[in-house]
Amino acid sequence: MRTSESGLAGRDKGIGLGLAIVSAIAFGGSGVAAKPLIEAGLDPLHVVWLRVAGAALVMLPLAVRHRALVRRRPALLAGFGLLGVAGVQAFYFASISRIPVGVALLVEYLAPALVLGWVRFVQRRPVTRAAAVGVVLAVGGLACVVEVWAGLGFDALGLLLALGAACCQVGYFVLSDQGSDSGADAPDPLGVIAYGLLVGAAVLTVIARPWAMDWAVLGGTAHMDGTPVPAVLLLAWIVLLATVIAYVTGVVSVRRLSPQVAGVVACLEAVIATVLAWFLLGEHLSAPQIVGGAVVLAGAFIAQSSAPAKGAPQPVAAGGVDTELSERENVA
C-alpha cells in the first residue's frame, strides 16, 4: 500500500513539475508578444488590461459554473485577483517606468526566496537545505540572465515597486496552494482563476482607463523583428497562451507540488522570455546570460528533486504531496 502511494505521489509530482514548466513557458512568452504591440503605439497598462480582461471573458463560463465560490471563499477570490493578477502586473509595469527592466525582473523574482521565508517564519515549517540552495542558485542565475550589473542607476521608489511585485507574486503562489489539502471541500482551481481574473480586470480597469486606448492599433499590424504580424494575433497569444493557459497550469502545478517549489520553477520564466526574445525579436544572449540560464535550471532541479531523509521531521522540499501523505499516516 505504501509503495503504491509512493508511486502515485511521484507521478503526481512529475505531472506538477511538467505543468509548472508549461506555465513558465506560457508566462515567458507574454513579453515577446506584448513588446511589438507597445512599439506599435499601445500603452503598457492598456496591454495589461487587454490581457486580463480578455482572459476573464474567456473564463467567464467557468466563473458562472463555480459561482458558489463567491459565497464559500470570497477572501481567497479577492486576494488572488488583487495580488496574483492585478498586483503583480501593475507593480511590475510601474517599476519598469523608473528602473531598468532587468533589475525590476530580478527583484520580482526574489519571490521564491520570499516564499521560503513565508513557509519557514510564518507557517513555522522547516525547509530543506537543498531547497534553499536551489533558490539561491536560481536567484544568482537570474542575476546573470538579466545582467543586473548593466544598470546601476537605481531609483528607490522603482525598487520598492518591484519589491511590491515580488510580494504580490508570493501571494499568487501561497493563495494558489490554499485548499490543496482540504479534500473534497477544496476550491476548484479553475473557478479561483476565473474569479481572480474578473477581480483583476475590474481593478485594472480603474488603473488603466481603457476608454482612452488607441483601439485602431489592434486593427493593424505590429512588427516582430521586422516581420509584420497582425496585432489581433499577438493579442490572442497574450490572452490565450500567456494568461489563460499560463494561470491554469500554474495554479494546478502549485496544487501538485508546493508554493516554494513552483516558485523556483517559475524562475524559468525569465530564462524562457530571454530565449524567445533572442529567436523572435532578435535580442541576442550574451555568454553570462547563457551561463545564468544553466544555473537557474540547476537551481530549479535541485529544489524539485530534494527530499527529506527517512525518519526525519518532514521539511518542505520537493513537493507537498509526500509531506501530506506522511502527515496523514502519522495522524492515523
Side-chain angles (χ1 to χ4, degrees):
M1 181 68 174
R2 182 70 63 84
T3 302
S4 73
E5 286 181 342
S6 177
L8 180 61
R11 185 179 65 180
D12 203 49
K13 188 165 61 177
I15 294 173
L17 179 60
L19 290 172
I21 292 173
V22 170
S23 179
I25 293 173
F27 274 126
S30 63
V32 175
K35 186 171 182 178
L37 290 177
I38 294 172
E39 291 177 343
L42 285 181
D43 185 272
L45 274 180
H46 289 157
V47 177
V48 173
W49 179 83
L50 286 168
R51 175 184 185 181
V52 176
L57 187 61
V58 172
M59 299 289 283
L60 186 59
L62 286 173
V64 175
R65 179 179 178 182
H66 297 286
R67 55 188 176 275
L69 281 175
V70 177
R71 183 184 69 256
R72 291 174 49 217
R73 297 293 183 96
L76 173 61
L77 302 182
F80 189 82
L82 290 172
L83 297 177
V85 177
V88 172
Q89 298 182 51
F91 273 114
Y92 174 68
F93 276 91
S95 69
I96 63 176
S97 69
R98 305 184 69 94
I99 61 176
V101 173
V103 175
L105 189 61
L106 176 62
V107 175
E108 179 183 343
Y109 274 88
L110 290 176
L114 296 177
V115 169
L116 276 182
W118 171 274
V119 170
R120 180 65 183 89
F121 299 108
V122 178
Q123 296 183 339
R124 297 187 180 278
R125 296 164 58 194
V127 297
T128 64
R129 290 182 179 179
V133 168
V135 169
V136 171
L137 284 175
V139 174
L142 278 171
C144 295
V145 170
V146 302
E147 294 187 329
V148 63
W149 56 84
L152 299 177
F154 293 155
D155 178 279
L157 179 57
L159 288 175
L160 286 175
L161 289 168
L163 185 59
C167 292
C168 288
Q169 195 174 66
V170 172
Y172 163 74
F173 288 114
V174 172
L175 290 171
S176 296
D177 191 51
Q178 291 298 305
S180 60
D181 58 352
S182 301
D185 191 48
D188 188 285
L190 296 180
V192 173
I193 295 167
Y195 278 102
L197 288 168
L198 286 171
V199 172
V203 172
L204 288 170
T205 296
V206 177
I207 298 173
R209 298 183 297 173
W211 49 86
M213 181 169 53
D214 185 3
W215 292 89
V217 173
L218 297 177
T221 60
H223 289 83
M224 184 173 282
D225 194 22
T227 303
V229 180
V232 68
L233 182 61
L234 293 173
L235 178 61
W237 176 350
I238 294 172
V239 170
L240 298 178
L241 293 181
T243 308
V244 174
I245 291 178
Y247 271 104
V248 169
T249 54
V251 170
V252 174
S253 73
V254 173
R255 295 291 183 89
R256 291 177 177 268
L257 294 171
S258 64
Q260 68 279 4
V261 174
V264 171
V265 177
C267 285
L268 296 176
E269 177 189 337
V271 180
I272 292 163
T274 307
V275 172
L276 288 176
W278 186 353
F279 286 103
L280 298 179
L281 299 180
E283 298 177 354
H284 293 174
L285 291 169
S286 65
Q289 287 177 313
I290 295 174
V291 173
V295 173
V296 172
L297 287 171
F301 175 79
I302 291 172
Q304 193 279 331
S305 60
S306 62
K310 291 183 179 180
Q314 299 295 323
V316 175
V321 177
D322 292 334
T323 304
E324 289 168 11
L325 288 174
S326 299
E327 288 175 348
R328 289 171 188 169
E329 289 168 0
N330 290 336
V331 171

